[in-house]
Amino acid sequence: MHATMVGRPILHPVHAILLAFPVALFPSAFIADIAYLNTAEIQWSNFAAWAITGAMLFGAAVFIWEIVSLFWGRARHARKPALVLSALLAVMLVAGLINALQHSRDAWSSVGATGLILSLLCTLLALAAGWIAYSGPREIVQ
Protein backbone atom coordinates (compact mmCIF):
# COMPACT_ATOMS: atom_id res chain seq x y z
CA MET A 1 0.00 0.00 0.00
CA HIS A 2 1.35 3.43 -0.83
CA ALA A 3 1.22 6.63 1.22
CA THR A 4 -1.52 9.09 0.31
CA MET A 5 -2.10 12.68 1.28
CA VAL A 6 -5.37 13.47 3.00
CA GLY A 7 -7.11 16.81 3.15
CA ARG A 8 -6.69 17.31 6.87
CA PRO A 9 -3.99 19.87 7.81
CA ILE A 10 -1.50 19.34 10.61
CA LEU A 11 -2.77 22.54 12.26
CA HIS A 12 -5.50 21.73 14.79
CA PRO A 13 -8.78 23.60 14.12
CA VAL A 14 -8.71 25.40 17.49
CA HIS A 15 -5.09 26.37 16.87
CA ALA A 16 -6.13 27.77 13.49
CA ILE A 17 -8.95 29.79 15.04
CA LEU A 18 -6.61 31.26 17.65
CA LEU A 19 -4.10 32.19 14.94
CA ALA A 20 -6.82 33.99 12.99
CA PHE A 21 -6.99 36.69 15.68
CA PRO A 22 -3.43 38.03 15.33
CA VAL A 23 -3.71 37.67 11.55
CA ALA A 24 -6.76 39.98 11.65
CA LEU A 25 -5.93 42.27 14.58
CA PHE A 26 -2.36 43.31 13.70
CA PRO A 27 -3.41 44.55 10.23
CA SER A 28 -6.36 46.31 11.89
CA ALA A 29 -3.94 48.12 14.21
CA PHE A 30 -1.78 49.07 11.24
CA ILE A 31 -4.77 50.51 9.37
CA ALA A 32 -5.84 52.38 12.52
CA ASP A 33 -2.34 53.84 12.82
CA ILE A 34 -2.55 55.10 9.25
CA ALA A 35 -5.97 56.61 9.99
CA TYR A 36 -4.61 58.28 13.14
CA LEU A 37 -1.64 59.78 11.28
CA ASN A 38 -4.02 61.17 8.63
CA THR A 39 -6.72 62.53 10.95
CA ALA A 40 -5.10 63.06 14.39
CA GLU A 41 -8.31 61.59 15.86
CA ILE A 42 -7.18 60.02 19.14
CA GLN A 43 -9.77 57.25 18.96
CA TRP A 44 -7.80 55.64 16.11
CA SER A 45 -4.79 55.38 18.40
CA ASN A 46 -6.96 53.85 21.12
CA PHE A 47 -8.39 51.34 18.65
CA ALA A 48 -4.87 50.39 17.51
CA ALA A 49 -3.75 49.88 21.12
CA TRP A 50 -6.71 47.60 21.84
CA ALA A 51 -6.21 45.67 18.59
CA ILE A 52 -2.54 45.12 19.49
CA THR A 53 -3.54 43.96 22.97
CA GLY A 54 -6.02 41.45 21.54
CA ALA A 55 -3.50 40.23 18.99
CA MET A 56 -0.93 39.75 21.74
CA LEU A 57 -3.36 37.85 23.95
CA PHE A 58 -4.32 35.39 21.22
CA GLY A 59 -0.79 35.37 19.81
CA ALA A 60 0.55 34.18 23.16
CA ALA A 61 -2.03 31.38 23.22
CA VAL A 62 -1.05 30.38 19.67
CA PHE A 63 2.64 30.41 20.57
CA ILE A 64 2.12 28.25 23.65
CA TRP A 65 -0.01 25.81 21.61
CA GLU A 66 2.66 25.72 18.89
CA ILE A 67 5.48 25.01 21.35
CA VAL A 68 3.49 22.21 23.01
CA SER A 69 2.55 20.64 19.67
CA LEU A 70 6.12 21.02 18.42
CA PHE A 71 7.46 18.79 21.16
CA TRP A 72 4.43 16.58 21.68
CA GLY A 73 2.53 14.89 18.90
CA ARG A 74 3.84 16.69 15.81
CA ALA A 75 4.36 14.47 12.78
CA ARG A 76 8.00 14.08 11.77
CA HIS A 77 7.47 15.54 8.26
CA ALA A 78 5.94 18.71 9.74
CA ARG A 79 8.80 19.64 12.10
CA LYS A 80 10.59 22.07 9.77
CA PRO A 81 7.52 24.23 9.02
CA ALA A 82 6.65 24.07 12.72
CA LEU A 83 10.07 25.42 13.66
CA VAL A 84 9.71 28.28 11.18
CA LEU A 85 6.20 28.98 12.47
CA SER A 86 7.41 28.94 16.08
CA ALA A 87 10.22 31.37 15.24
CA LEU A 88 7.83 33.71 13.41
CA LEU A 89 5.40 33.64 16.33
CA ALA A 90 8.19 34.37 18.82
CA VAL A 91 9.46 37.35 16.82
CA MET A 92 5.86 38.52 16.31
CA LEU A 93 5.25 38.47 20.07
CA VAL A 94 8.44 40.39 20.84
CA ALA A 95 7.67 42.99 18.16
CA GLY A 96 4.06 43.13 19.37
CA LEU A 97 5.17 43.77 22.95
CA ILE A 98 7.43 46.61 21.84
CA ASN A 99 4.56 47.92 19.70
CA ALA A 100 2.15 47.75 22.64
CA LEU A 101 4.60 49.70 24.79
CA GLN A 102 5.00 52.27 22.01
CA HIS A 103 1.22 52.65 21.70
CA SER A 104 0.85 53.13 25.45
CA ARG A 105 2.63 56.46 25.18
CA ASP A 106 0.69 59.71 25.22
CA ALA A 107 -0.96 61.38 22.21
CA TRP A 108 1.00 61.95 18.99
CA SER A 109 4.13 60.18 20.25
CA SER A 110 2.17 56.92 20.60
CA VAL A 111 2.15 56.28 16.86
CA GLY A 112 4.50 58.41 14.78
CA ALA A 113 6.94 56.69 12.44
CA THR A 114 8.10 54.20 15.08
CA GLY A 115 4.61 52.97 15.92
CA LEU A 116 3.69 52.72 12.26
CA ILE A 117 6.81 50.72 11.41
CA LEU A 118 6.25 48.41 14.39
CA SER A 119 2.64 47.87 13.36
CA LEU A 120 3.75 47.10 9.81
CA LEU A 121 6.35 44.63 11.11
CA CYS A 122 3.78 42.90 13.34
CA THR A 123 1.34 42.74 10.43
CA LEU A 124 3.90 41.17 8.12
CA LEU A 125 4.97 38.65 10.76
CA ALA A 126 1.36 37.68 11.54
CA LEU A 127 0.54 37.29 7.84
CA ALA A 128 3.68 35.20 7.27
CA ALA A 129 2.79 32.98 10.25
CA GLY A 130 -0.73 32.58 8.91
CA TRP A 131 0.59 31.75 5.45
CA ILE A 132 2.86 29.03 6.80
CA ALA A 133 0.29 27.63 9.20
CA TYR A 134 -2.69 27.57 6.85
CA SER A 135 -0.78 26.31 3.81
CA GLY A 136 1.25 23.80 5.79
CA PRO A 137 1.79 20.15 5.02
CA ARG A 138 -0.99 17.62 5.13
CA GLU A 139 -1.00 14.41 7.10
CA ILE A 140 0.23 11.34 5.30
CA VAL A 141 -1.79 8.16 5.69
CA GLN A 142 0.04 4.90 5.06
Side-chain angles (χ1 to χ4, degrees):
M1 185 173 199
H2 65 284
T4 59
M5 302 291 274
V6 295
R8 194 167 54 139
I10 295 287
L11 195 62
H12 190 276
V14 176
H15 192 186
I17 290 170
L18 291 174
L19 182 58
F21 283 93
V23 168
L25 290 173
F26 276 130
S28 298
F30 177 63
I31 292 168
D33 284 346
I34 292 171
Y36 177 64
L37 290 174
N38 287 327
T39 64
E41 190 68 41
I42 194 68
Q43 195 58 33
W44 287 116
S45 179
N46 294 337
F47 177 77
W50 279 105
I52 293 166
T53 301
M56 290 294 295
L57 178 70
F58 286 99
V62 168
F63 181 68
I64 291 167
W65 188 305
E66 183 62 28
I67 292 299
V68 168
S69 67
L70 183 65
F71 293 109
W72 184 24
R74 178 78 69 173
R76 192 174 343 119
H77 66 278
R79 290 243 190 247
K80 189 173 182 179
L83 287 172
V84 173
L85 180 59
S86 298
L88 278 173
L89 290 172
V91 174
M92 180 189 76
L93 286 175
V94 170
L97 179 62
I98 296 168
N99 197 13
L101 294 173
Q102 176 69 27
H103 278 78
S104 69
R105 297 173 73 184
D106 191 27
W108 190 255
S109 64
S110 68
V111 179
T114 305
L116 187 66
I117 291 169
L118 285 169
S119 289
L120 177 61
L121 178 63
C122 291
T123 296
L124 294 175
L125 289 167
L127 291 174
W131 182 277
I132 289 172
Y134 296 129
S135 66
R138 307 285 181 189
E139 286 186 2
I140 297 176
V141 177
Q142 301 259 345

